[in-house]
Amino acid sequence: MNETRRAVLEALADGPASGPELAESLDISRAAVWKHIEALREANFEIESGGNGYELTDVTAYNAPSVEFGLEAPFSIEYHDSVGSTNDRARELAADGAADVAVLADEQTGGR
């Protein structure tokens, strides 16, 4: 998850925030705030717009962005709906020089 998107989530986790407040605190445009909010919604974060601004109402999805946000972990998540084996994929990533990556999947079709 990109750092600005994470900062938007962290701000919303503290309570509702208006677009102008987010724009000022993150030093981005209001249009950029809206784009990040929409991207978070597409990643299944439940964000509502109301009189108090944007509000994070729930994080129910099981996907890379929600796991990274929930854990606040010092590593990134590679998420798959389905993969042969998460361990095999992690080994591939390591062989390619990747570090600090966890592999998650809803389904493993070749896992042992």
Side-chain angles (χ1 to χ4, degrees):
M1 175 182 319
N2 92 22
E3 290 188 33
T4 303
R5 209 157 288 153
R6 177 179 292 282
V8 169
L9 271 176
E10 288 173 358
L12 296 179
D14 291 337
S18 71
E21 290 170 339
L22 290 169
E24 184 177 331
S25 69
L26 300 174
D27 196 28
I28 59 176
S29 70
R30 289 174 62 187
V33 168
W34 181 83
K35 287 180 183 180
H36 286 292
I37 295 290
E38 288 304 306
L40 290 166
R41 286 175 172 158
E42 287 176 19
N44 296 314
F45 288 92
E46 295 180 29
I47 300 173
E48 294 182 4
S49 301
N52 294 328
Y54 295 109
E55 182 176 4
L56 178 64
T57 58
D58 209 351
V59 182
T60 58
Y62 176 73
N63 58 27
S66 64
V67 171
E68 281 184 44
F69 176 68
L71 289 176
E72 295 185 17
F75 52 84
S76 63
I77 305 289
E78 182 180 285
Y79 172 80
H80 300 271
D81 290 326
S82 180
V83 67
S85 165
T86 54
N87 281 334
D88 288 348
R89 179 62 187 142
R91 281 187 199 96
E92 290 171 6
L93 290 168
D96 290 340
D100 300 325
V101 179
V103 179
L104 299 177
D106 278 340
E107 173 188 45
Q108 293 185 86
T109 59
R112 299 180 281 287

